[in-house]
Structures are given as structure tokens and as C-alpha cells.
Coordinates of all heavy atoms in Angstrom, one line a residue:
M25 N 5.1 3.7 -33.5 CA 4.4 2.5 -33.4 C 3.5 2.4 -32.2 O 3.9 2.8 -31.1 CB 5.4 1.3 -33.5 CG 4.7 0.0 -33.6 SD 6.0 -1.4 -33.7 CE 5.4 -2.5 -32.4
K26 N 2.3 2.1 -32.4 CA 1.4 1.9 -31.2 C 1.8 0.7 -30.3 O 2.0 -0.3 -30.9 CB -0.2 1.6 -31.8 CG -0.7 2.8 -32.4 CD -2.2 2.5 -32.5 CE -2.9 3.8 -33.1 NZ -4.3 3.5 -33.3
Q27 N 1.6 1.0 -29.0 CA 1.7 0.0 -28.1 C 0.5 -0.4 -27.5 O -0.2 0.5 -27.0 CB 2.8 0.3 -26.9 CG 4.1 0.0 -27.0 CD 4.8 0.4 -25.8 OE1 5.0 1.6 -25.4 NE2 5.3 -0.4 -25.1
L28 N 0.1 -1.6 -27.6 CA -1.2 -2.0 -27.1 C -1.0 -2.7 -25.7 O 0.0 -3.2 -25.4 CB -1.8 -3.0 -28.1 CG -2.2 -2.5 -29.5 CD1 -2.9 -3.7 -30.2 CD2 -3.2 -1.4 -29.4
I29 N -2.1 -2.4 -25.0 CA -2.0 -2.9 -23.5 C -2.7 -4.3 -23.5 O -3.9 -4.4 -23.9 CB -2.7 -1.9 -22.6 CG1 -2.1 -0.6 -22.6 CG2 -2.7 -2.5 -21.1 CD1 -0.6 -0.5 -22.2
D30 N -2.1 -5.3 -22.9 CA -2.7 -6.6 -22.7 C -3.6 -6.4 -21.4 O -3.1 -6.5 -20.4 CB -1.6 -7.7 -22.6 CG -2.3 -9.1 -22.5 OD1 -3.4 -9.2 -22.4 OD2 -1.3 -9.9 -22.4
A31 N -4.9 -6.4 -21.7 CA -5.8 -6.3 -20.5 C -6.2 -7.7 -20.0 O -6.9 -7.8 -19.1 CB -7.1 -5.5 -21.0
G32 N -5.6 -8.7 -20.6 CA -5.9 -10.0 -20.1 C -7.0 -10.7 -21.0 O -7.8 -10.1 -21.7
N33 N -7.2 -12.0 -20.8 CA -8.2 -12.7 -21.6 C -8.2 -12.5 -23.1 O -9.3 -12.4 -23.7 CB -9.6 -12.4 -20.9 CG -9.7 -12.8 -19.4 OD1 -9.0 -13.7 -19.0 ND2 -10.5 -12.1 -18.8
G34 N -7.1 -12.2 -23.7 CA -7.1 -11.9 -25.1 C -7.6 -10.6 -25.5 O -7.8 -10.4 -26.6
V35 N -7.7 -9.7 -24.6 CA -8.2 -8.2 -24.9 C -7.0 -7.3 -24.9 O -6.1 -7.3 -24.0 CB -9.1 -7.8 -23.8 CG1 -9.5 -6.3 -24.0 CG2 -10.4 -8.7 -23.7
Y36 N -6.7 -6.6 -26.1 CA -5.7 -5.8 -26.1 C -6.2 -4.3 -26.5 O -7.3 -4.2 -27.3 CB -4.7 -6.1 -27.4 CG -4.0 -7.4 -27.0 CD1 -4.4 -8.6 -27.4 CD2 -2.7 -7.3 -26.5 CE1 -3.8 -9.7 -27.0 CE2 -2.0 -8.3 -26.1 CZ -2.5 -9.6 -26.4 OH -1.8 -10.7 -26.1
V37 N -5.8 -3.4 -25.8 CA -6.3 -2.0 -25.8 C -5.4 -1.0 -26.2 O -4.3 -1.0 -25.7 CB -7.0 -1.7 -24.4 CG1 -7.6 -0.4 -24.5 CG2 -7.9 -2.8 -24.1
D38 N -5.7 0.1 -27.1 CA -4.8 1.1 -27.4 C -5.2 2.1 -26.2 O -6.2 2.6 -26.0 CB -5.4 1.7 -28.7 CG -4.5 2.9 -29.1 OD1 -3.7 3.3 -28.3 OD2 -4.7 3.3 -30.3
P39 N -4.1 2.5 -25.5 CA -4.3 3.4 -24.4 C -4.9 4.8 -24.7 O -5.6 5.5 -23.9 CB -2.9 3.6 -23.8 CG -2.1 2.7 -24.6 CD -2.8 2.0 -25.7
A40 N -4.7 5.2 -26.1 CA -5.2 6.6 -26.4 C -6.7 6.5 -26.6 O -7.3 7.5 -26.5 CB -4.6 6.8 -27.8
E41 N -7.3 5.3 -26.6 CA -8.7 5.1 -26.7 C -9.5 5.0 -25.4 O -10.7 4.9 -25.4 CB -9.0 4.0 -27.7 CG -8.7 4.1 -29.1 CD -9.1 5.5 -29.8 OE1 -10.3 5.8 -29.7 OE2 -8.1 6.1 -30.4
V42 N -8.7 4.8 -24.3 CA -9.2 4.6 -23.1 C -9.7 5.9 -22.4 O -8.8 6.8 -22.2 CB -8.2 3.8 -22.2 CG1 -8.8 3.7 -20.7 CG2 -7.9 2.3 -22.7
S43 N -10.9 5.9 -21.9 CA -11.4 7.1 -21.3 C -11.4 6.9 -19.8 O -11.4 7.9 -19.0 CB -12.7 7.6 -21.8 OG -13.7 6.7 -21.7
A44 N -11.6 5.7 -19.3 CA -11.5 5.3 -17.9 C -11.3 3.8 -17.6 O -11.6 3.1 -18.4 CB -13.0 5.8 -17.3
V45 N -10.8 3.6 -16.5 CA -10.6 2.2 -16.0 C -11.2 2.2 -14.5 O -10.7 2.9 -13.6 CB -9.1 1.8 -15.9 CG1 -9.0 0.4 -15.4 CG2 -8.5 1.8 -17.4
M46 N -12.1 1.4 -14.3 CA -12.8 1.4 -13.1 C -13.0 -0.1 -12.6 O -13.0 -1.0 -13.4 CB -14.1 1.9 -13.2 CG -14.1 3.4 -13.7 SD -15.8 4.0 -14.0 CE -16.5 3.0 -15.1
T47 N -13.0 -0.3 -11.3 CA -13.3 -1.6 -10.7 C -14.7 -1.9 -10.6 O -15.6 -0.9 -10.5 CB -12.7 -1.8 -9.4 OG1 -13.2 -0.8 -8.5 CG2 -11.1 -1.7 -9.3
E48 N -15.1 -3.1 -10.9 CA -16.4 -3.5 -10.8 C -16.7 -4.4 -9.5 O -15.8 -5.0 -9.0 CB -16.9 -4.3 -12.0 CG -17.1 -3.5 -13.3 CD -18.4 -2.9 -13.2 OE1 -19.4 -3.5 -13.2 OE2 -18.4 -1.6 -13.4
I49 N -18.0 -4.5 -9.1 CA -18.2 -5.1 -7.8 C -17.9 -6.6 -8.0 O -17.5 -7.3 -7.0 CB -19.7 -4.9 -7.4 CG1 -19.9 -3.5 -7.1 CG2 -20.1 -5.8 -6.4 CD1 -21.3 -3.1 -6.9
Q50 N -18.3 -7.3 -9.1 CA -18.1 -8.7 -9.3 C -16.8 -9.2 -9.7 O -16.8 -10.3 -10.5 CB -19.3 -9.2 -10.2 CG -20.7 -8.9 -9.6 CD -21.8 -9.2 -10.6 OE1 -21.6 -9.4 -11.9 NE2 -23.0 -9.3 -10.2
G51 N -15.8 -8.6 -9.3 CA -14.4 -9.0 -9.7 C -13.9 -8.8 -11.0 O -13.0 -9.4 -11.5
C52 N -14.6 -7.8 -11.7 CA -14.2 -7.4 -13.0 C -13.7 -6.0 -13.1 O -14.0 -5.2 -12.2 CB -15.4 -7.5 -14.0 SG -16.0 -9.1 -14.4
V53 N -13.0 -5.7 -14.1 CA -12.5 -4.3 -14.3 C -13.2 -3.9 -15.6 O -13.3 -4.5 -16.6 CB -10.9 -4.2 -14.5 CG1 -10.5 -2.9 -15.1 CG2 -10.2 -4.7 -13.3
C54 N -13.8 -2.7 -15.4 CA -14.6 -2.0 -16.5 C -13.6 -1.0 -17.2 O -13.2 -0.1 -16.7 CB -15.8 -1.3 -15.9 SG -16.7 -0.5 -17.1
I55 N -13.4 -1.2 -18.5 CA -12.6 -0.4 -19.3 C -13.5 0.5 -20.2 O -14.1 -0.3 -21.2 CB -11.5 -1.1 -20.1 CG1 -10.7 -1.9 -19.0 CG2 -10.7 -0.2 -20.9 CD1 -9.6 -2.8 -19.9
L56 N -13.7 1.7 -20.1 CA -14.5 2.6 -21.1 C -13.6 3.0 -22.2 O -12.6 3.6 -22.0 CB -15.1 3.7 -20.3 CG -16.0 3.3 -19.1 CD1 -16.6 4.6 -18.5 CD2 -17.1 2.4 -19.6
L57 N -14.1 2.8 -23.4 CA -13.2 3.3 -24.6 C -14.1 4.4 -25.3 O -15.3 4.3 -25.4 CB -13.1 2.1 -25.6 CG -12.4 0.9 -25.1 CD1 -12.4 -0.2 -26.0 CD2 -10.9 1.3 -24.7
R58 N -13.4 5.3 -25.9 CA -14.1 6.4 -26.5 C -14.8 5.9 -27.8 O -14.2 5.1 -28.5 CB -12.8 7.4 -27.2 CG -12.2 8.2 -26.0 CD -11.3 9.3 -26.6 NE -10.6 10.0 -25.4 CZ -9.5 9.5 -24.9 NH1 -8.9 8.4 -25.2 NH2 -9.0 10.2 -23.8
G59 N -16.0 6.4 -28.0 CA -16.7 6.0 -29.1 C -17.5 4.8 -29.1 O -18.2 4.3 -30.1
I60 N -17.3 4.0 -28.0 CA -17.9 2.7 -27.8 C -18.7 2.7 -26.6 O -18.3 3.0 -25.6 CB -16.9 1.5 -27.8 CG1 -15.9 1.5 -29.0 CG2 -17.4 0.2 -27.4 CD1 -14.9 0.5 -29.0
S61 N -20.0 2.4 -26.8 CA -21.0 2.7 -25.6 C -20.9 1.4 -24.7 O -21.2 1.5 -23.5 CB -22.4 2.8 -26.2 OG -22.8 1.7 -26.9
Q62 N -20.5 0.3 -25.1 CA -20.5 -0.9 -24.3 C -19.1 -1.1 -23.8 O -18.0 -1.2 -24.5 CB -20.8 -2.2 -25.2 CG -20.9 -3.4 -24.4 CD -22.2 -3.5 -23.6 OE1 -23.1 -2.9 -23.8 NE2 -22.2 -4.3 -22.6
P63 N -19.0 -1.0 -22.5 CA -17.6 -1.1 -21.8 C -17.0 -2.5 -21.9 O -17.7 -3.5 -22.1 CB -17.8 -0.8 -20.4 CG -19.2 -1.1 -20.1 CD -20.0 -0.9 -21.4
L64 N -15.7 -2.6 -21.9 CA -15.1 -3.9 -21.9 C -15.1 -4.4 -20.3 O -14.8 -3.5 -19.5 CB -13.6 -3.8 -22.4 CG -13.3 -3.6 -23.8 CD1 -11.8 -3.3 -24.1 CD2 -13.7 -4.8 -24.7
L65 N -15.4 -5.6 -20.2 CA -15.3 -6.1 -18.8 C -14.3 -7.2 -18.8 O -14.4 -8.1 -19.6 CB -16.7 -6.7 -18.2 CG -17.8 -5.7 -18.2 CD1 -19.1 -6.3 -17.8 CD2 -17.4 -4.6 -17.0
V66 N -13.3 -7.0 -17.9 CA -12.2 -7.9 -17.9 C -12.1 -8.6 -16.5 O -12.1 -7.9 -15.5 CB -10.8 -7.3 -18.2 CG1 -9.7 -8.3 -18.1 CG2 -10.8 -6.7 -19.5
R67 N -12.2 -9.9 -16.6 CA -12.2 -10.6 -15.3 C -10.7 -10.9 -14.9 O -10.0 -11.4 -15.7 CB -13.1 -11.9 -15.4 CG -13.0 -12.6 -14.0 CD -14.1 -13.7 -13.9 NE -15.4 -13.3 -14.1 CZ -16.3 -12.6 -13.1 NH1 -15.7 -12.6 -11.9 NH2 -17.4 -12.2 -13.4
C68 N -10.4 -10.8 -13.7 CA -9.0 -11.0 -13.2 C -9.0 -12.5 -12.8 O -9.7 -13.0 -12.0 CB -8.8 -10.2 -11.9 SG -7.1 -10.3 -11.3
E69 N -8.1 -13.2 -13.5 CA -8.0 -14.6 -13.3 C -6.6 -15.0 -12.6 O -6.4 -16.2 -12.3 CB -8.0 -15.3 -14.6 CG -9.3 -15.2 -15.4 CD -9.4 -16.0 -16.6 OE1 -8.4 -16.4 -17.1 OE2 -10.6 -16.1 -17.1
S70 N -5.9 -14.0 -12.3 CA -4.5 -14.3 -11.7 C -4.4 -14.5 -10.2 O -3.4 -14.6 -9.6 CB -3.5 -13.1 -12.1 OG -3.9 -12.0 -11.6
G71 N -5.7 -14.3 -9.6 CA -5.7 -14.4 -8.1 C -5.7 -13.0 -7.4 O -6.0 -12.9 -6.3
A72 N -5.4 -12.0 -8.3 CA -5.4 -10.6 -7.8 C -6.8 -10.0 -7.7 O -7.7 -10.6 -8.4 CB -4.4 -9.7 -8.6
T73 N -7.1 -9.1 -6.9 CA -8.3 -8.4 -7.0 C -8.6 -7.6 -8.2 O -7.6 -7.1 -8.8 CB -8.4 -7.7 -5.7 OG1 -7.6 -6.5 -5.7 CG2 -8.2 -8.4 -4.5
A74 N -9.7 -7.1 -8.5 CA -10.1 -6.3 -9.6 C -9.5 -4.9 -9.3 O -9.0 -4.3 -10.2 CB -11.6 -6.1 -9.7
D75 N -9.3 -4.5 -8.0 CA -8.8 -3.1 -7.7 C -7.4 -3.2 -8.1 O -6.8 -2.2 -8.7 CB -9.0 -2.8 -6.2 CG -8.6 -1.5 -6.0 OD1 -8.9 -0.6 -6.8 OD2 -7.9 -1.3 -4.9
V76 N -6.6 -4.2 -7.8 CA -5.2 -4.4 -8.2 C -5.0 -4.3 -9.8 O -4.1 -3.6 -10.2 CB -4.5 -5.7 -7.5 CG1 -3.2 -5.9 -8.0 CG2 -4.5 -5.5 -6.0
L77 N -5.9 -5.1 -10.4 CA -5.8 -5.2 -11.8 C -6.1 -3.8 -12.4 O -5.4 -3.3 -13.4 CB -6.8 -6.2 -12.4 CG -6.9 -6.3 -14.0 CD1 -5.5 -6.7 -14.6 CD2 -7.9 -7.3 -14.4
A78 N -7.0 -3.1 -11.9 CA -7.4 -1.8 -12.4 C -6.1 -0.8 -12.2 O -5.8 0.0 -13.1 CB -8.6 -1.2 -11.7
Q79 N -5.6 -0.9 -11.1 CA -4.4 0.0 -10.8 C -3.3 -0.3 -11.7 O -2.6 0.5 -12.2 CB -4.0 -0.1 -9.3 CG -5.0 0.5 -8.3 CD -4.5 0.2 -6.9 OE1 -3.4 -0.3 -6.7 NE2 -5.4 0.6 -6.0
A80 N -3.0 -1.6 -11.9 CA -1.8 -2.1 -12.9 C -2.3 -1.6 -14.2 O -1.2 -1.1 -14.9 CB -1.7 -3.5 -12.8
L81 N -3.4 -1.8 -14.8 CA -3.8 -1.2 -16.1 C -3.6 0.2 -16.3 O -3.1 0.7 -17.3 CB -5.2 -1.7 -16.4 CG -5.4 -3.2 -16.9 CD1 -7.0 -3.4 -17.0 CD2 -4.7 -3.3 -18.3
T82 N -4.0 1.0 -15.3 CA -4.0 2.4 -15.3 C -2.5 2.8 -15.2 O -2.1 3.7 -16.1 CB -4.6 3.0 -14.1 OG1 -6.1 2.7 -14.1 CG2 -4.6 4.6 -14.0
A83 N -1.6 2.1 -14.4 CA -0.3 2.5 -14.5 C 0.4 2.3 -15.9 O 1.2 3.1 -16.3 CB 0.4 1.7 -13.4
R84 N 0.1 1.1 -16.5 CA 0.6 0.7 -17.6 C 0.2 1.7 -18.9 O 1.0 2.0 -19.6 CB 0.3 -0.8 -18.0 CG 0.8 -1.3 -19.3 CD 2.3 -1.5 -19.1 NE 2.8 -2.0 -20.5 CZ 3.8 -1.2 -21.0 NH1 4.3 -0.2 -20.6 NH2 4.3 -1.8 -22.3
I85 N -1.1 2.0 -18.9 CA -1.7 3.0 -19.8 C -0.9 4.3 -19.6 O -0.5 4.9 -20.7 CB -3.2 3.1 -19.6 CG1 -3.9 1.8 -20.1 CG2 -3.7 4.4 -20.3 CD1 -5.3 1.7 -19.7
N86 N -0.8 4.7 -18.4 CA -0.1 6.1 -18.2 C 1.4 6.0 -18.6 O 1.9 6.9 -19.3 CB -0.1 6.5 -16.8 CG -1.5 6.8 -16.3 OD1 -2.3 7.2 -17.0 ND2 -1.7 6.8 -14.9
A87 N 2.1 4.9 -18.6 CA 3.4 4.8 -18.9 C 3.5 4.8 -20.5 O 4.4 5.5 -21.1 CB 4.0 3.5 -18.4
V88 N 2.6 4.1 -21.2 CA 2.6 4.0 -22.6 C 2.3 5.4 -23.2 O 3.0 5.8 -24.1 CB 1.6 2.9 -23.1 CG1 1.4 3.2 -24.7 CG2 2.2 1.6 -22.9
M89 N 1.3 6.1 -22.6 CA 1.1 7.4 -23.1 C 2.1 8.4 -22.9 O 2.4 9.3 -23.7 CB -0.3 7.9 -22.3 CG -1.6 7.2 -22.8 SD -1.8 7.0 -24.6 CE -2.2 8.6 -25.0
A90 N 2.8 8.3 -21.8 CA 4.1 9.2 -21.5 C 5.1 9.0 -22.5 O 5.8 9.9 -23.0 CB 4.5 9.0 -20.0
D91 N 5.3 7.7 -22.9 CA 6.3 7.3 -24.0 C 5.9 7.8 -25.2 O 6.7 8.4 -25.9 CB 6.4 5.8 -24.0 CG 7.2 5.1 -23.0 OD1 7.8 5.9 -22.1 OD2 7.2 3.9 -22.8
R92 N 4.6 7.8 -25.6 CA 4.2 8.3 -26.9 C 4.4 10.0 -26.9 O 4.7 10.5 -27.8 CB 2.6 8.0 -27.1 CG 2.4 6.7 -27.5 CD 1.0 6.6 -28.0 NE 0.6 5.2 -28.2 CZ -0.6 4.7 -28.4 NH1 -1.5 5.6 -28.6 NH2 -0.8 3.4 -28.6
Y93 N 4.0 10.5 -25.7 CA 4.1 12.0 -25.7 C 5.7 12.4 -25.8 O 6.0 13.4 -26.4 CB 3.5 12.4 -24.3 CG 3.6 13.9 -24.1 CD1 2.8 14.8 -24.7 CD2 4.7 14.5 -23.4 CE1 2.8 16.1 -24.7 CE2 4.7 15.9 -23.2 CZ 3.8 16.7 -23.8 OH 3.9 18.0 -23.6
N94 N 6.5 11.6 -25.2 CA 7.9 12.0 -25.3 C 8.7 11.4 -26.5 O 9.9 11.5 -26.7 CB 8.7 11.4 -24.0 CG 8.2 12.1 -22.9 OD1 8.0 13.3 -22.8 ND2 8.0 11.4 -21.7
G95 N 7.8 10.8 -27.5 CA 8.4 10.4 -28.7 C 9.1 9.1 -28.7 O 9.9 8.7 -29.6
V96 N 8.9 8.2 -27.7 CA 9.6 7.0 -27.6 C 8.8 5.9 -28.5 O 7.6 5.8 -28.5 CB 9.6 6.5 -26.2 CG1 10.3 5.1 -26.1 CG2 10.5 7.4 -25.4

């Protein structure tokens, strides 16, 4: 079963489709998806910085992909 990552603001992402997670200058996180030319821009509303949100998303994506690879 696919695990989707809650990227915030009602955005759910399949980690297998993510090609990059980057921080943006204006407090947003840019999520690049395979096959989609327009990146998702997610604004951090929890008071954390965009850099912290990008690191958390990347860690969560890596954990889900490791689970998939290991058959969990």
C-alpha cells in the first residue's frame, strides 16, 4: 500500500514521484515531482522555517521509501 506524505496545506505527495525537495527564499518549500513541470510550493505555517520543513519532508520521504524497499 502506498504511503503518502502530508506536505501541509492539504498537499499529499507520493514519495516515489519526488525528484527533489528544496527551500525557497520566500518561506516556501519547493517540491519537484517527476513528469510535472510546475513545482509544488508549500508554505510553512507552523512557525518553523522553510529549511526545517524541507529537512523534515526529506527525512519522511526517505523513511517511507526505505519501508517500501524493505517490503513494509
Side-chain angles (χ1 to χ4, degrees):
M25 183 172 131
K26 284 188 179 181
Q27 265 187 294
L28 299 179
I29 302 299
D30 182 357
N33 301 333
V35 176
Y36 291 86
V37 178
D38 181 354
E41 299 301 319
V42 173
S43 56
V45 177
M46 303 176 297
T47 58
E48 284 284 304
I49 295 172
Q50 298 175 343
C52 289
V53 173
C54 179
I55 303 171
L56 301 178
L57 301 175
R58 290 185 182 88
I60 299 176
S61 59
Q62 186 72 19
L64 291 173
L65 292 177
V66 179
R67 182 168 297 283
C68 187
E69 295 180 348
S70 64
T73 64
D75 189 44
V76 169
L77 178 59
Q79 289 176 11
L81 277 171
T82 301
R84 185 71 184 116
I85 288 167
N86 290 341
V88 170
M89 292 307 293
D91 286 349
R92 283 191 193 177
Y93 181 78
N94 292 321
V96 175

